[in-house]
Amino acid sequence: MNLLWRWLTDPASWEGSAGIPARVAEHLAYSASTLVLAALIGIPLGLWIGHTGRGRVLVVNLVNGMRSVPTLGLLFAAVLVLGPLLGGDIAFLVPSIFVLVLLAVPPILAGAYAGVEGVDPGARDAARGMGMSSREVLFRVEVPCALPLIFSGLRSAALQVIATATLAASVSLGGLGRFLIDGQAYRDYGQMAGGALLVAVLAMLVDLVFAVVQRLVVSPGLAPARTSRRAARRAAAAALSPT
Amino acid sequence: MKKHLAILVAATASLALTACGSGDPLASSAPASSAASSGSTVSLVVGSANFPENELLADIYAGALTAKGVQVTTKLNIASRETYVPALKNGEIDLIPEYTGGFSKYLNADADISDEATALASLKSLLPDNLEALEPSKAQDKDSITVTRATADKYNLTTIDDLAPVAGEMVLGGPPEWKNRALGVPGLKKVYGLVFKDFRATDAAGPLTVQALKNGQIQAGNLFTTDPSIKANDFVTLEDTKSFFGAQNVVPVINKAKATPEVVAALNAVSAKLDTDTLATLVTKVVVDKDDAATVASDWLTSVGLA
Amino acid sequence: MKWFLGHLGQVGSLMVNHAVLAVAPLVIGLLLAVPLGWLAQRYRWLRTPLIAGTGLLYTIPSLALFILMPLVLGTGILDPVNVVVALTVYTVALLVRTVADGLASVPQEVLQAATAMGIGNVRRFWSVELPLAVPVIAAGLRVAAVSNVSIVSVAALLGIPQLGSLFTDGFARAFLDPIVVGIIACIVLALVLDLAIIAISRAVTPWRRTQVPA
């Protein structure tokens, strides 16, 4: 505790390109670009699968399968394979983001899919009965109804990515992982504990931001309790894991 | 069918046996009972740092000791000195291949390591009471400041001194611990007056450092002088005119409680046979030819009659 | 492939280590999560602090948890117990919620029927609530098992031998084969654990087999 306090209150910890603000910014940059890319892949795919009912088996297996791929191994493999092809400053960045995106897509995909699939069939039928096209049903009924689960997928992914982005430091990138890896390298427990604490705080703050956005975006008629138990369970199963 | 089943059973059983042999992961890793320190059945744990050469050396020590009937367990790839030295002090590991100069500087930033004799003397005087340095080998593996051929030509670099006027434009790459180590960024500033634009934590002179040099993410990097990738990439190792990296003879450092005469004899015999060229050749087999360190170690031990 | 065939023994023993390091926390974590989940379900006011609190543990990066464990436990730096305890923390974090959800999924009528039959609270928990919650708990356990397998490999950065050692070894030599073999071995191990949990969950809920076809 003392060590942690000393590190956090040392002005040197806060200065320059290796200081806490700079590392937090790097960490957020990695995490945000990962989440945007993963959302661009996961949400449309999840919506499509949920809407059409096609490829359901694929999703379930993919989501479970991806979760079992060890991130560290994948990162090392990606750096060895992609690094020499890329060259320059992106040689380590691209493989790291690639691995993080692979990690983030499954929960986002599962959330979007479960959200659409769990929409009350009555609501869907009513929309069709009102003469909505398949497209309108998707965007005016299913997506709004699926938002709570889409958000829970995004939030799971965000937590997971923020915790895992620390591994990027093991391939010489920045971010909060630097404090963990460097702290380990010179046995500076204060720095390590501080780094871990910052990651946890950052994860909480980001989750809080998502929660606020979710509140603003999601229709008040769609409190999480209203989603079906089956969908909720699926979303719970889509939940995260740190790495 | 029955035969296949039998083979399967045998294979499973042998798998289980190897698993036991390599140590039950849940078994306590506390030092083996002190009863082992007398008599002929010594058992000890050999550790290594997190780079291939050190693991290879640990395998060589382990092989030489096993050949003498010592019961050996290996715990390889234990990060940096900052991690494994505490493990060595508290008895979690008993023996590790070290480097005279590097270990001295780790123990005391002001240690004199300018030549082989002083480096060894420094190490012996600085080691904690429960540890002992045995006979060093002739083999040396030094840290270095290495640049690409293009960088060397551009700035006309042959020695580390030549870096002084241009270091401000260059990023230095090395293992994370270099940032604070005497034999790292602070020392380079003190001895050579080098202030680099930035320091990038890569890895312990491994593929990240090599790739970062090639990519231009760093302009100068810490590679080991035994590293085959220096030659393979036509890198230039800058001459260490002030003997900053000093003498770095490979030396077994052992827990005194485990240093029985037979253990000492076996390890000293290894040191006597090992020189820099041999070490570099063996490292090349592991890193370039991708042979197993354990196999390379045992082949070499056999070839010199130590196993 | 050639590398794999030449290193069957090594990969096998690393896999056994890996399995032990991943499964032990699963068992311990489950044993801890059942009472905690019960508390969260039984006393409503405890639910939020318990679930949010354990959920927070999840945001601690595993590398940090592994390395800081010796400070907390007083264990050695290379002690695999550090890994087991750290993973137990994650397992509990995940399972407390699942156990609470699982217990909540047991229909109220069933509980009332049990009480009406004169079954006491303790026995009702063990013979009615917990068995009926098994499917949900098993789902959470599967997630925990699979993620444990992935997280264990990070311990290679500390020199604790398991399949992750193949990653660090391969990376240090810029050698892809061991890394790929390690990744595949991890996936296989995760799959085996997953199937084992499904099998066990089926075995302890025989009524579901007749009730639910498919």
Side-chain angles (χ1 to χ4, degrees), chain B residues 43-223:
Chain B
S43 71
L44 53 72
V45 182
V46 187
S48 90
N50 60 350
F51 53 95
E53 176 190 272
N54 207 257
E55 289 181 47
L56 170 71
L57 286 166
D59 277 326
I60 290 177
Y61 290 169
L65 291 170
T66 309
K68 298 284 179 243
V70 179
Q71 222 185 336
V72 179
T73 326
T74 51
K75 287 199 171 173
L76 306 184
N77 193 16
I78 318 172
S80 63
R81 258 180 209 118
E82 284 76 355
T83 301
Y84 67 69
V85 173
L88 194 60
K89 283 184 189 163
N90 73 17
E92 284 188 79
I93 54 174
D94 305 310
L95 169 67
I96 197 155
E98 258 295 357
Y99 305 87
T100 49
F103 201 8
S104 302
K105 281 283 190 190
Y106 169 84
L107 295 167
N108 181 347
D110 297 324
D112 183 358
I113 58 166
S114 48
D115 61 61
E116 298 192 21
T118 47
L120 182 63
S122 295
L123 180 61
K124 288 194 161 168
S125 68
L126 290 169
L127 276 178
D129 285 340
N130 66 331
L131 300 181
E132 183 180 355
L134 303 180
E135 278 298 308
S137 73
K138 290 191 292 295
Q140 291 206 48
D141 176 17
K142 299 185 189 190
D143 287 301
S144 77
I145 301 291
T146 296
V147 298
T148 59
R149 175 70 62 193
T151 309
D153 290 346
K154 182 177 165 196
Y155 296 114
N156 212 357
L157 305 172
T158 48
T159 69
I160 301 181
D161 307 77
D162 297 340
L163 280 173
V166 292
E169 302 166 31
M170 301 167 89
V171 176
L172 174 70
E177 57 271 20
W178 257 42
K179 200 173 164 188
N180 292 350
R181 258 190 194 174
L183 267 187
V185 176
L188 283 169
K189 184 177 174 193
K190 198 168 142 196
V191 175
Y192 279 104
L194 298 182
V195 180
F196 288 92
K197 185 169 81 184
D198 203 356
F199 171 74
R200 184 172 184 134
T202 49
D203 56 5
L208 280 180
T209 312
V210 172
Q211 244 188 58
L213 266 177
K214 284 205 272 192
N215 286 335
Q217 290 169 297
I218 58 175
Q219 285 71 48
N222 165 232
L223 290 180

Side-chain angles (χ1 to χ4, degrees), chain C residues 5-6 14 35-37 44 74 112 145 148 174 182 210 214:
Chain C
L5 292 176
L14 289 175
L36 287 174
R44 286 266 126 185
Q112 284 162 358
N148 276 5
T210 49

Side-chain angles (χ1 to χ4, degrees), chain C residues 16-99:
Chain C
V16 172
N17 283 5
H18 203 106
V20 173
L21 290 173
V23 170
L26 213 56
V27 176
I28 305 169
L30 181 62
L31 292 179
L32 291 173
V34 167
L36 287 174
W38 177 80
L39 280 176
Q41 165 62 15
R42 179 79 179 70
Y43 303 99
R44 286 266 126 185
W45 58 273
L46 266 176
R47 188 181 163 91
T48 311
L50 262 179
I51 288 180
T54 48
L56 266 186
L57 297 172
Y58 235 67
T59 57
I60 306 172
S62 53
L63 181 62
L65 205 51
F66 289 154
I67 298 175
L68 295 173
M69 271 302 156
L71 289 190
V72 181
L73 302 174
T75 40
I77 298 154
L78 306 174
D79 201 326
V81 167
N82 300 329
V83 177
V84 172
V85 176
L87 283 176
T88 303
V89 169
Y90 289 135
T91 308
V92 170
L94 209 136
L95 286 184
V96 168
R97 174 178 225 128
T98 334
V99 170

Side-chain angles (χ1 to χ4, degrees), chain B residues 25 77 92 207 286 290-292, chain C residues 7 76-78 80 168 171 173:
Chain B
N77 193 16
E92 284 188 79
V286 174
K290 318 294 185 198
D291 291 343
D292 283 352
Chain C
H7 295 78
I77 298 154
L78 306 174
T168 45
F171 193 60
R173 298 192 278 153

Side-chain angles (χ1 to χ4, degrees), chain A residues 26-39:
Chain A
E26 285 170 340
H27 205 90
L28 280 175
Y30 302 152
S31 307
S33 37
T34 301
L35 280 177
V36 169
L37 285 172

